[in-house]
Every structure is written in structure tokens, then in C-alpha cells.
Amino acid sequence: MSKIYIVEDDKSIREELAELLRNSGYEAEYLTDFSNSKADILSAHPDLILMDINIPNLNGEQLLKEIRNESDIPIIMVTSRTSETDEVLSMSYGADDYITKPYNPTILLLRISAVLKRSAGSSSVQTYNGLQVNDAKGSLTDGNHELILTKNEMIIFRLMLDRQGSIVTRDDLMTALWDNDEFVNDNALTVNISRLRSKLAELGCEDAIETRKKQGYVLK
């Protein structure tokens, strides 16, 4: 059971997060005293950290930077800030992912699962119709040829692969890509789906993605 450590100063939010994680099969702990945050977090030996940016004493970005000086523990920033600058800064300091509030609980759990798989190294390599799917490299390979997927293409493919054979709605895909409907661009999703189809076809998986009119897509 993976242990996830929550760094969030809002009591109701951290307790809701902890309940969500425990109901999803994770062990969850959280910080309540922010006077010695870094030491308390590291001494808990978590498998992943969910960290807000707006926390007492050190802000989350600075705390992220300090933790990165000592540890490679996967860290996902969870914040109400929607500034692109904050996301870029967090990623440059070593965050493994960044998700904004209000978040979709299902999408948060998918992001957590993806980051844990990447951090597990070789266990992140899975297969689809004879292709190796490597989350860490963001690639698909048939053993002879390797194609690199963009970040958005991998998010789409991973969500479809997790639900292979079932319909994945456009809303689910757009939420996974942009977290907040305010930033959704329907045409951009169509373009990403088209490029992913082409890359799968290059590796011999013709017609891998089926369109279900007014419903979504199915990875066959």
C-alpha cells in the first residue's frame, strides 16, 4: 500500500483528501504543524506528496525546492493558483505534476497513479497490442521502432488504456488535459486524438481508437 502525505493547511480539505485516498486503497497522512515541515515530511517516508502552494511559513514552492535538495520523493502540487508562472516554477523546482483546484477526484487519482508508476521505474512499462508503453519516456515501441508521444497524447492514451474497451467521454479527456473547463479547447482535443491515431497506425495499430458519436472514444 503506497503512503501519500498531504501538505495542506485547510483542515477540511486535507481531511477530505485523506478520506478519498484511503477509500482508494492508499495509506494517507497529513501535516498539521508547519513549523518544521521539511523534517516532518521526510521522516514520514511517504511514497508521494500532495502539496499546496499556499501554506504557512515556507510557501509550497520553496518547500518543494528544499525537499528536492534531499529527496526524489514524487511530489504533485495541488493548488488554487491557476497562473502559468506558478506551474512553470513548480515544475522547474522538481514537481512531478501540477493540478489546480477545484479538481476532479477521479482525475487526481489518475494523476497519482501515473506518477507512482513512473517513479517505480521498470514497472511503468506496460503493453498494448504488442506495443511497449513507457510512461517514463512517454513512448510507444514495437521493439524495432519507437515513437515519442507528446505529454497530451500520453495523457489521452493512458486514460483510454486504463479504460480499454469502455467509452471515455470528451469531457473526461478534456478534464484530464486541462483540469478546469475554463481552459478547454475542443478543437485542440480533436487534433491530439488525430495525432495519436496516426502514431498508433505507424506502429501497426490501425483503427485503434473508435469514435462513438456524441459519446466519446473507445480504445479497442
Side-chain angles (χ1 to χ4, degrees):
M1 182 184 295
S2 297
K3 180 195 288 187
I4 299 179
Y5 203 87
I6 301 164
V7 183
E8 163 65 64
D9 65 329
D10 186 305
K11 182 180 179 181
S12 62
I13 292 177
R14 67 180 178 237
E15 289 180 349
E16 286 175 6
L17 263 176
E19 182 178 5
L20 170 68
L21 294 169
R22 289 165 185 155
N23 289 339
S24 302
Y26 295 106
E27 180 182 350
E29 296 182 6
Y30 48 72
L31 196 64
T32 56
D33 180 356
F34 294 83
S35 60
N36 198 22
S37 300
K38 183 183 72 172
D40 289 343
I41 293 168
L42 293 178
S43 66
H45 302 293
D47 296 296
L48 182 143
I49 301 166
L50 292 178
M51 185 185 299
D52 192 13
I53 289 179
N54 298 314
I55 57 174
N57 300 326
L58 284 178
N59 69 42
E61 289 165 342
Q62 189 61 38
L63 180 56
L64 162 66
K65 190 175 182 180
E66 292 198 3
I67 290 174
R68 272 292 166 264
N69 289 333
E70 299 183 29
S71 174
D72 291 327
I73 298 169
I75 299 174
I76 299 178
M77 304 303 286
V78 183
T79 178
S80 56
R81 296 189 185 184
T82 57
S83 164
E84 186 175 302
T85 301
D86 284 310
E87 180 173 0
V88 170
L89 188 61
S90 294
M91 300 305 278
S92 70
Y93 282 170
D96 294 88
D97 207 341
Y98 184 103
I99 188 166
T100 56
K101 303 172 187 174
Y103 52 80
N104 180 310
T106 301
I107 299 305
L108 177 61
L109 292 170
L110 282 170
R111 296 287 189 89
I112 289 170
S113 176
V115 170
L116 286 171
K117 285 176 182 176
R118 288 200 301 269
S119 70
S122 59
S123 64
S124 67
V125 179
Q126 298 182 340
T127 61
Y128 165 73
N129 284 2
L131 302 178
Q132 285 193 333
V133 183
N134 193 315
D135 289 283
K137 293 181 67 178
S139 69
L140 301 176
T141 179
D142 61 4
N144 297 311
H145 303 93
E146 181 179 53
L147 286 178
I148 302 298
L149 302 186
T150 66
K151 177 183 177 182
N152 284 349
E153 289 164 358
M154 181 55 82
I155 289 171
I156 292 169
F157 183 71
R158 172 52 62 192
L159 184 54
M160 287 186 174
L161 186 58
D162 286 345
R163 303 185 192 176
Q164 186 176 358
S166 300
I167 295 171
V168 180
T169 68
R170 290 181 69 87
D171 283 347
D172 283 346
L173 289 167
M174 289 190 287
T175 300
L177 289 169
W178 290 282
D179 297 337
N180 188 315
D181 287 346
E182 180 181 349
F183 302 102
V184 166
N185 183 314
D186 193 71
N187 183 61
L189 175 60
T190 300
V191 170
N192 277 281
I193 291 286
S194 177
R195 289 174 178 169
L196 179 58
R197 275 192 171 119
S198 296
K199 289 183 178 181
L200 288 169
E202 283 185 50
L203 292 174
C205 294
E206 300 279 352
D207 303 317
I209 300 174
E210 177 185 346
T211 299
R212 296 288 181 88
K213 192 173 181 180
K214 296 184 179 180
Q215 297 180 77
Y217 303 95
V218 176
L219 183 67
K220 296 187 290 185

